[in-house]
Amino acid sequence: MLFDRDMLNRLYRYAYALSGNEPGAGDLLQDTVERCLQRPPGALACPEAYARRVMRNRYIDITRRRKASPETGDAHTDAELLAIDTHCLESLTISRDMLQQAWSRLDVFEREILYYWAVEDMTAAQIASTLGSRRGTVLARIHRLRARLRAEFGDDAAAEGVKR
Amino acid sequence: MKPNLKQSLIEHLESVRLDDARLDELEALQRTRSARSWWHSRTLQLFAAACLLVALVVSWLPFEQPDLLHAIAEEAVMNHLAQTPLEVHGTTIAELDGHFDQLGFRLVEPLAPAEGARLLGGRYCSLQGVTAAQLRRHDAQGRTQNLYQVPYRPASMGELPDPALGEQPRTLEMRGLRVDLWVERGLLFALTRD
């Protein structure tokens, strides 16, 4: 079997990170599994990684990059970007309920960043590489995401300071 | 104290799980579809490859696509068997050529010598709707031969041997008769004999 139950759950979580909601994640997962099954048996060295790529491309196709183009980032100077990395997310505190509220309001790129950072423990450079994006773009989005969470949840999402 | 973002994220994402029924469905899908999808796509690939192979073989073996050629040979044989009376008599091509002014081409003396054969005359005929010349002669043993000349269309008739290039005529057998087919100077020749 191409995907065991653990893999299916991991892929479902990634689908959830992309779509932002469980019904959308279910559809995306179903579509992805069906597409992967089109490949001949044994043709995929790493089915899960392949499935993630298929899933992401599929999601982009579906949404036609309407709002959340990963390449549209804020312009930041190198000096600003040096002060940003995933570690600046470490200091944020937020309750699970608040996160649940915020989740669907994040854009797909932000959810992907959070997914790879939290679940896969990736750095900004690794996330950028995985998403086929520039590191600067990822850093800029992390910076904006942090500011947004802090603004939205005030002191609740505030921090004890940015750990460098 | 509130958990940090990472911890909340992990807890939140771990709570996102497929239920057992959905997992069972996806596993069943994989069991049934993996073999079928692969077989289906493999079948399509094999079918496409077979079509390509057939197209290549057909294009490489033009002698194997002689539907029109067979039809011409068949019609020549039918004319041969009908023994329709000649319209003009003569013993040389030059003598007969003047009669055939509706052909759109001049009669051609075949390169291959018809040893001992004697030309009797000719008539107009039609081969697959194209006006052709039918020349009748007797061989050394007095057996009847009919030599047909008609414009050659390589696209529909396929490649045919050309004696000028040292090639031997192509031979078909129809209704107990032998039909030789070849090309000379832009004309298709068909020779039927008793």
Side-chain angles (χ1 to χ4, degrees):
Chain A
M1 198 170 293
L2 199 56
F3 305 111
D4 61 24
R5 293 169 91 90
D6 286 343
M7 276 186 188
L8 287 170
N9 265 321
R10 285 197 295 272
L11 288 171
Y12 182 56
R13 281 178 205 123
Y14 181 57
Y16 176 74
L18 288 170
S19 65
N21 60 74
E22 293 206 51
D27 291 345
L28 198 52
L29 178 65
Q30 172 88 19
D31 189 65
T32 300
V33 170
E34 287 186 4
R35 281 166 189 272
C36 290
L37 291 175
Q38 301 289 328
R39 302 297 304 262
L44 301 177
C46 187
E48 193 172 345
Y50 178 79
R52 277 189 201 176
R53 198 164 67 240
V54 168
M55 190 178 277
R56 187 165 196 265
N57 290 340
R58 197 64 197 123
Y59 181 79
I60 289 169
D61 284 347
I62 291 167
T63 57
R64 298 180 187 278
R65 294 177 180 268
R66 53 183 173 237
K67 278 187 176 177
S69 172
E71 297 304 325
T72 56
D74 292 343
H76 288 264
T77 65
D78 288 346
E80 283 175 313
L81 293 178
L82 282 174
I84 306 168
D85 204 337
T86 47
H87 57 65
C88 74
L89 295 170
E90 305 274 358
S91 56
L92 293 177
T93 61
I94 185 169
S95 70
R96 210 176 120 186
D97 289 344
M98 286 177 182
L99 178 65
Q100 208 154 0
Q101 290 172 37
W103 185 256
S104 60
R105 293 200 299 274
L106 301 175
D107 70 35
V108 60
F109 195 44
E110 290 167 338
R111 288 195 300 266
E112 275 191 293
I113 289 171
L114 289 176
Y115 172 86
Y116 281 117
W117 167 65
V119 178
E120 304 289 335
D121 208 22
M122 287 184 181
T123 64
Q126 290 170 316
I127 294 170
S129 170
T130 303
L131 300 182
S133 187
R134 292 191 303 273
R135 181 171 175 269
T137 304
V138 172
L139 293 176
R141 295 302 287 265
I142 288 172
H143 177 76
R144 198 163 77 181
L145 174 62
R146 181 172 179 271
R148 189 170 155 194
L149 288 173
R150 292 185 70 174
E152 192 156 343
F153 296 102
D155 290 340
D156 289 328
E160 297 104 22
V162 175
K163 292 175 190 167
R164 296 282 165 87
Chain B
M1 182 178 172
K2 289 189 181 64
N4 66 30
L5 176 62
K6 193 170 203 171
Q7 192 181 342
S8 290
L9 269 169
I10 290 170
E11 285 174 11
H12 175 59
L13 289 170
E14 296 226 325
S15 72
V16 175
R17 300 182 65 84
L18 293 160
D19 60 35
D20 285 344
R22 189 77 187 101
L23 283 168
D24 290 343
E25 281 173 18
L26 286 168
E27 283 187 336
L29 173 76
Q30 291 184 77
R31 274 193 295 273
T32 56
R33 288 285 292 280
S34 59
R36 195 176 65 191
S37 297
W38 181 82
W39 185 87
H40 182 62
S41 63
R42 180 62 64 193
T43 302
L44 285 177
Q45 286 170 13
L46 288 174
F47 179 71
C51 289
L52 185 63
L53 187 64
V54 168
L56 285 174
V57 167
V58 165
S59 65
W60 284 343
L61 297 174
F63 291 138
E64 298 308 321
Q65 51 163 358
D67 286 344
L68 181 57
L69 201 65
H70 274 88
I72 288 173
E74 174 109 27
E75 206 166 357
V77 166
M78 295 302 289
N79 282 333
H80 180 97
L81 295 173
Q83 291 293 322
T84 311
L86 299 174
E87 295 164 359
V88 60
H89 295 270
T91 55
T92 64
I93 292 288
E95 273 182 69
L96 302 178
D97 190 49
H99 171 73
F100 291 100
D101 56 359
Q102 302 297 311
L103 286 174
F105 61 88
R106 302 287 302 274
L107 293 179
V108 170
E109 185 80 50
L111 281 174
E115 308 229 343
R118 185 168 52 89
L119 191 59
L120 302 174
R123 62 181 288 269
Y124 284 108
C125 71
S126 167
L127 293 177
Q128 295 300 298
V130 179
T131 305
Q134 178 184 357
L135 309 180
R136 190 168 297 155
R137 66 193 188 190
H138 281 158
D139 68 8
Q141 285 74 42
R143 290 173 299 200
T144 301
Q145 298 180 346
N146 280 290
L147 179 69
Y148 301 87
Q149 299 186 9
V150 67
Y152 173 53
R153 294 170 185 165
S156 54
M157 296 171 180
E159 292 292 324
L160 278 172
D162 184 347
L165 304 175
E167 296 168 337
Q168 292 297 312
R170 180 157 186 231
T171 300
L172 300 175
E173 295 284 342
M174 286 189 176
R175 298 177 186 265
L177 293 182
R178 173 180 156 179
V179 187
D180 290 337
L181 297 148
W182 72 93
V183 172
E184 280 186 43
R185 285 184 274 179
L187 296 179
L188 168 70
F189 282 64
L191 177 65
T192 58
R193 59 188 95 195
D194 285 340

